[in-house]
């Protein structure tokens, strides 16, 4: 059996295309994938020929979120930790393990990717759920196909949203509350209406339209793009994104710890099917 390579990286002129490649699991993110993404982003970052980076998901779905139960689930393993300065979560238990792991693999990595000094575009089709949102939100632009849908159902686990808590900045406070309180999926058209998505295109033309946008941006000078990205990100941080995210990360871990303390696991006893059932009654057994 060949070893699974969960991320592909290729170049199209000035565009670096990073593709998650676990289509059989809706590109569910295990740690092996997040580290492979990190490596691909670093390669694209270091390559002066690459002016713009596109993040894609192979197959029907962009990302079903964090890996809650595929055969490759690897939360008990560590890799080459680089995103944050914490001890290895392996060999620790409870919060000492969970906080270290999520600081590194979830919040730390997404923050680094958000700060890549080149424009990034998420190319989203099908599901973009929970941990999938984190990837799309860490990108500068989002181009979605008309079949894309977005949701963060983790309130059903008793957890106030995914680790990269950008919701209020992505769609405004009132819509963020509805999005989280209900856990309901929103369509690509609705996401665009809320200002979360730049463009919605036909599924068949998603790749061409996204690459065309990337190539158009790639005609701009690299340093100008880097400074412009930094300018907007700095303003976003001054609007509270970074501090808000830090404070909510503590609430997120209170919720994990509470779940563990009252006798369930840190996810409130939920898996993939029970999560679907929680937010879409009757859907638990379906695709
Ligand atoms: Zn978590």
């Amino acid at each position: 059996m060949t070893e699974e390579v969960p991320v592909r990286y290729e170049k199209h002129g000035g565009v670096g295309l990073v593709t998650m490649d676990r289509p059989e699991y809706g590109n569910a993110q295990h740690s092996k994938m997040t580290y492979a993404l990190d490596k691909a982003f670093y390669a694209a970052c270091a390559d002066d020929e690459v002016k713009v980076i596109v993040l894609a998901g192979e197959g029907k779905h962009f990302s079903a979120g964090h890996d809650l139960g595929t055969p490759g689930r690897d939360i008990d393993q560590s890799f080459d930790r680089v995103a944050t300065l914490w001890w290895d979560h392996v060999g620790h238990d409870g919060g000492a393990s969970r906080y270290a792991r999520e600081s590194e693999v979830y919040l730390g990595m997404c923050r680094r990717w958000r700060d890549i000094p080149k424009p990034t575009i998420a190319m989203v089709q099908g599901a973009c759920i929970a941990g999938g949102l984190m990837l799309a939100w860490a990108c500068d632009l989002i181009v979605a196909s008309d079949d894309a849908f977005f949701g963060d159902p983790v309130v059903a686990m008793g957890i106030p949203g995914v680790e990269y808590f950008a919701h209020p900045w992505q769609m405004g406070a009132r819509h963020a509350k509805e999005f989280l309180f209900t856990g309901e999926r929103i369509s690509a058209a609705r996401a665009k209406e809320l200002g979360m998505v730049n463009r919605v295109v036909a599924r068949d033309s998603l790749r061409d339209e996204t690459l065309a946008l990337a190539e158009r941006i790639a005609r701009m000078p690299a340093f100008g793009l880097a400074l412009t990205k930094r300018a907007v990100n700095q303003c976003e941080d001054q609007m509270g994104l970074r501090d808000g995210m830090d404070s909510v990360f503590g609430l997120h871990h209170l919720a994990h710890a509470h779940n563990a303390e009252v006798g369930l696991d840190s996810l409130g006893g939920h898996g993939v099917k029970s999560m679907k059932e929680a937010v879409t009654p009757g859907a638990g057994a379906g695709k």
Side-chain angles (χ1 to χ4, degrees):
M1 188 177 153
T2 54
E3 196 186 354
E4 182 193 20
V5 179
V7 172
R8 300 196 318 266
Y9 173 58
E10 63 213 89
K11 288 201 285 183
H12 295 268
V15 180
L17 179 60
V18 176
T19 306
M20 295 178 279
D21 197 10
R22 296 187 84 203
E24 64 276 36
Y25 302 115
N27 295 315
Q29 302 158 44
H30 50 5
S31 294
K32 192 174 180 184
M33 175 183 280
T34 60
Y35 279 91
L37 282 171
D38 204 49
K39 200 174 163 194
F41 285 136
Y42 259 80
C45 208
D47 187 340
D48 288 342
E49 285 179 7
V50 170
K51 303 279 297 291
V52 179
I53 302 167
V54 171
L55 174 62
E58 184 63 46
K60 193 175 171 190
H61 301 293
F62 174 75
S63 173
H66 295 146
D67 189 342
L68 297 183
T70 78
R73 191 170 191 239
D74 55 8
I75 61 167
D76 295 331
Q77 294 178 47
S78 64
F79 293 77
D80 298 328
R81 297 171 302 108
V82 282
T84 56
L85 197 58
W86 265 102
W87 51 68
D88 190 336
H89 74 286
V90 175
H92 294 265
D93 53 16
S97 174
R98 195 180 305 116
Y99 195 88
R101 178 173 182 275
E102 295 204 346
S103 293
E104 164 75 13
V105 180
Y106 297 155
L107 185 57
M109 286 213 187
C110 285
R111 275 185 165 164
R112 279 151 49 103
W113 301 338
R114 181 231 180 199
D115 289 335
I116 290 170
K118 298 182 180 185
T120 54
I121 306 176
M123 181 168 92
V124 178
Q125 81 283 8
C128 182
I129 302 293
L133 286 174
M134 294 171 48
L135 296 182
W137 288 349
C139 292
D140 299 311
L141 309 181
I142 301 177
V143 179
S145 60
D146 49 14
D147 69 346
F149 56 91
F150 303 83
D152 184 359
V154 307
V155 179
M157 297 172 168
I159 298 172
V162 288
E163 291 82 3
Y164 188 83
F165 191 81
H167 312 59
W169 291 269
Q170 290 289 337
M171 61 185 76
R174 200 171 300 282
H175 291 301
K177 287 175 182 169
E178 181 180 347
F179 186 69
L180 287 161
F181 289 169
T182 65
E184 283 175 0
R185 296 168 171 184
I186 60 170
S187 66
R190 177 65 175 153
K192 184 166 185 294
E193 200 173 78
L194 297 177
M196 202 186 96
V197 158
N198 294 83
R199 299 182 183 191
V200 179
V201 301
R203 176 72 184 85
D204 289 348
S205 56
L206 177 65
R207 182 185 167 95
D208 288 349
E209 298 245 12
T210 307
L211 289 177
L213 176 60
E215 281 157 13
R216 183 187 169 89
I217 293 169
R219 295 204 292 268
M220 289 289 189
F223 193 44
L225 289 170
L227 293 177
T228 303
K229 172 168 178 168
R230 180 58 60 95
V232 177
N233 282 8
Q234 282 179 189
C235 290
E236 208 179 16
D237 284 340
Q238 285 171 27
M239 289 187 271
L241 175 70
R242 189 175 179 89
D243 289 346
M245 213 178 263
D246 275 334
S247 70
V248 176
F249 195 60
L251 300 179
H252 181 96
H253 278 270
L254 169 63
H256 275 315
H258 173 77
N259 283 343
E261 185 181 347
V262 298
L264 303 168
D265 61 25
S266 68
L267 300 180
H270 277 291
V272 175
K273 283 185 179 167
S274 66
M275 283 301 290
K276 280 184 184 163
E277 182 67 26
V279 296
T280 317
K287 181 81 176 126

